[in-house]
Amino acid sequence: MEMIQESDIKLLFSEQDIQSKIKEIANTINTTYGKDSLYVISVLKGSVMFTVDLVKHLKMPVRMEFIRLSSYGSNYTSSGKVNAVDITLPDLNGKNVLIVEDIIDTGHTAKFLLDFIKLNFKTKSLRFCSLLDKKEKRQVDIDADIYGFDIDDKFLVGYGLDFEEYYRNIPYIGYV
Ligand code: IMP
Ligand code: MG
């Protein structure tokens, strides 16, 4: 598949849009957990930018874990098959667990991860936080507990989201 020119990327959410939405999301999280400590589980690679910006605004004691899943093949559509590249986790029994994702699309990744954690641990709480939510594309019955932006069925790049592994470093979110 051909490279996208950066000039072909149309702005959807600016750096400012993203940062002010993240502050709102952080406020919700701070209100939800209060002073209770929290395990943030970041799903790499897509949620790297969102995670680091989000945790800076959290007020409770936070521990961070990173796992790597992949679902997209090298095209625009989700394969529906989730590949656990690295899902090494500490003991999450009795812990508040917040999964942090870039985007929920078909929902297969979210379902896989929630099922995996429920099967292996008795957490104190388990919630799912996603910056973006593509509700139209959902194939499984899953909803984020906390999310930032609702989006239509567009293929997005930037701020962690890739096209063939490129464009994750673009500071805004755009579509092609
Ligand atoms: P799901 O399993 O279909 O919900 O897909 C979730 C994963 O697919 C996300 O964590 C992203 O990494 C990737 N993804 C979904 N939509 C897009 C997009 O528009 N651009 C880039 N990656 C996407
Ligand atoms: Mg992702």
Side-chain angles (χ1 to χ4, degrees):
M1 206 155 301
E2 77 288 3
M3 291 281 294
I4 312 166
Q5 301 299 315
E6 203 179 322
S7 56
D8 293 334
I9 301 174
K10 291 166 199 72
L11 178 74
L12 186 60
F13 301 117
S14 68
E15 289 186 72
Q16 261 199 326
D17 296 336
I18 296 168
Q19 294 308 323
S20 60
K21 184 61 82 175
I22 288 175
K23 280 182 199 147
E24 279 177 39
I25 295 173
N27 286 341
T28 305
I29 297 171
N30 286 328
T31 307
T32 303
Y33 297 97
K35 292 272 164 275
D36 258 16
S37 67
L38 182 65
Y39 258 107
V40 169
I41 315 268
S42 172
V43 186
L44 295 176
K45 298 175 245 177
S47 64
V48 61
M49 307 286 184
F50 177 40
T51 304
V52 296
D53 285 341
L54 179 69
V55 293
K56 292 176 209 166
H57 300 288
L58 298 183
K59 307 249 188 285
M60 72 290 288
V62 167
R63 284 178 278 199
M64 296 167 75
E65 292 293 331
F66 297 88
I67 61 169
R68 231 178 111 190
L69 302 178
S70 65
S71 64
Y72 262 62
S74 19
N75 54 42
Y76 294 99
T77 46
S78 180
S79 62
K81 221 185 111 247
V82 180
N83 182 23
V85 182
D86 173 11
I87 195 162
T88 313
L89 286 167
D91 181 4
L92 298 176
N93 289 304
K95 306 296 196 300
N96 289 310
V97 175
L98 181 69
I99 301 168
V100 174
E101 254 284 41
D102 49 353
I103 185 166
I104 309 185
D105 182 25
T106 62
H108 287 290
T109 306
K111 185 172 179 356
F112 172 90
L113 196 47
L114 288 165
D115 287 349
F116 179 88
I117 292 176
K118 284 179 202 157
L119 186 74
N120 288 285
F121 307 102
K122 265 208 159 329
T123 58
K124 181 175 178 189
S125 67
L126 177 60
R127 290 189 178 85
F128 203 97
C129 171
S130 182
L131 179 62
L132 303 154
D133 193 348
K134 255 192 217 178
K135 292 207 176 71
E136 262 179 60
K137 294 275 298 289
R138 208 71 100 246
Q139 291 173 6
V140 294
D141 186 22
I142 227 105
D143 270 315
D145 299 286
I146 305 161
Y147 73 92
F149 300 107
D150 266 311
I151 45 164
D152 319 324
D153 181 11
K154 282 195 175 81
F155 189 82
L156 306 179
V157 293
Y159 198 68
L161 295 156
D162 73 303
F163 172 69
E164 303 210 324
E165 295 300 325
Y166 288 101
Y167 312 106
R168 294 191 196 275
N169 61 311
I170 291 175
Y172 58 89
I173 295 171
Y175 61 96
V176 283

